[in-house]
Amino acid sequence: MIPTQDMDNRTEYYNIYGAYFAPLRSGGEKMLGEGLTGEDLEMIPEHWFKYPEPPASAHTALCLLYCFFTAAALIGNGMVIFIFASTKSLRTASNFLILNLAIFDFIMMLKAPIFIYNSAMKGFAAGAMWCQIFAVMGSYSGIGAGMTNACIAYDRHSTITRPLDGRLSKGKVLLMIAFIWIYTTPWSLMPLFKVWGRFVPEGFLTSCTFDYLTTTFDNKLFVGCIFVCSYVFPMSCIIYFYSGIVKQVFAHEAALREQAKKMNVESLRSNQNAAAESAEIRIAKAALTVCFLFVTSWTPYGVMSLIGAFGDQNLLTPGVTMIPAITCKAVACIDPWVYAISHPKYRQELQRRMPWLQINEPDDNTSTTSNTTTNSAAPA
């Protein structure tokens, strides 16, 4: 919290265009945050005041980009939520985790209209209250998506490495989902109520996140803890579980090839087992792709927060800090399409409900019935 006296001083600087901005002005160039007063001005870290406002074209480009992201994410995740929730055959334990991820991604982009409005108005137009709403929704969805990805990795690891008894029960998965929401809540509410850390505008002052620029010990400790708990921990789980899957698959394939060689046959798998395993591998590939997207999208944000708290803050210009904000929004609109492309039963359901999408996914039931009929009709 900024002391009242400092707040009055900063407001006075804006009113009289004092020495704080004088060395930075050239040709009447307007600075970031200029013209704001009261609570809106108080929220903004002083780091941003030394930068000029971005050109209107930058705001327009980001506004259009976020409109595209919002449409893609809300439609894609909305379809996943609707189909997985309304199709009984898809209500499996593993798919509950996919549904939870889609909900977090949906929340991630549900707040995008605030950013779009700020960009259209070319600044911190929505004000302090909407900034807090934007940030708390981003905290819930970002940390929640990371933890859900870690749980998906655990689920795939358990299913593939222990095919006979490794499938998670619905009860266990529901407990994991409850844990994810409980785990995410303190990291979202503590900054909101300024118990530890706070939410502030960043970059072009059109988006908001937790404060990684205040250099007090208390704030640095908060940044370090949230970095470990929301990034390092889920990332370590993802790497551990997927490395275990790769190791298991390679070992299993090598054992099968060796046994087939001893028996002088081409393969030990029947067609039915091969098809079932192919479906499992496709689902694992989809989960791996989503987790890879999580790594590539949130790593820039993690690095940026560490630079802000412990490194050279001069590296964090408004334009630079908008890049991680874009990458973590992009993954929210890519995730559902990855599952739409890679999840066999989800594709089958899309094919049944939306034939105009021209999805060509063989129906498991049809294939099984066809094979049974053929075998029954074959001569003895």
Side-chain angles (χ1 to χ4, degrees), residues 156-157 160-161 239-253 288:
R156 290 295 90 203
H157 177 271
I160 292 176
T161 58
I239 293 172
Y240 173 78
F241 290 128
Y242 275 108
S243 62
I245 290 174
V246 172
K247 183 179 178 181
Q248 175 70 16
V249 169
F250 274 97
H252 182 63
E253 290 296 321
L288 178 59

Side-chain angles (χ1 to χ4, degrees), residues 32 48 54 58-59 62 122-124 202-207 318-319 321-322:
L32 274 175
W48 302 119
H59 283 298
L62 285 174
K122 300 176 177 58
F124 192 51
E202 65 173 345
F204 293 167
L205 307 185
T206 48
S207 63
T321 56
M322 294 310 296

Side-chain angles (χ1 to χ4, degrees), residues 101-211:
L101 179 62
I103 291 172
F104 279 124
D105 285 342
F106 193 88
I107 294 172
M108 171 69 74
M109 295 311 298
L110 199 60
K111 65 188 175 67
I114 300 172
F115 178 94
I116 293 170
Y117 175 75
N118 281 336
S119 294
M121 300 302 292
K122 300 176 177 58
F124 192 51
M129 184 186 74
W130 287 105
C131 176
Q132 298 287 333
I133 294 173
F134 183 97
V136 76
M137 291 175 70
S139 179
Y140 260 110
S141 56
I143 299 173
M147 295 301 297
T148 303
N149 274 305
C151 290
I152 290 174
Y154 169 70
D155 171 61
R156 290 295 90 203
H157 177 271
S158 180
T159 301
I160 292 176
T161 58
R162 295 187 294 122
L164 297 180
D165 61 347
R167 291 185 180 275
L168 303 182
S169 66
K170 287 185 179 180
K172 187 173 183 179
V173 168
L174 290 175
L175 283 175
M176 292 169 68
I177 292 174
F179 169 77
I180 290 169
W181 284 91
I182 293 171
Y183 182 88
T184 305
T185 296
W187 300 111
S188 302
L189 296 187
M190 286 192 297
L192 178 65
F193 296 109
K194 297 182 175 64
V195 175
W196 194 19
R198 63 172 184 153
F199 290 133
V200 295
E202 65 173 345
F204 293 167
L205 307 185
T206 48
S207 63
C208 297
T209 186
F210 65 92
D211 183 5

Side-chain angles (χ1 to χ4, degrees), residues 221-234:
L221 183 61
F222 172 78
V223 172
C225 288
I226 198 172
F227 175 79
V228 171
C229 294
S230 65
Y231 178 79
V232 175
F233 177 63

Side-chain angles (χ1 to χ4, degrees), residues 254-265 268:
L256 285 179
R257 285 194 300 269
E258 186 65 26
Q259 187 64 25
K261 185 177 179 182
K262 290 179 181 179
M263 298 174 64
N264 199 25
V265 295
L268 295 179

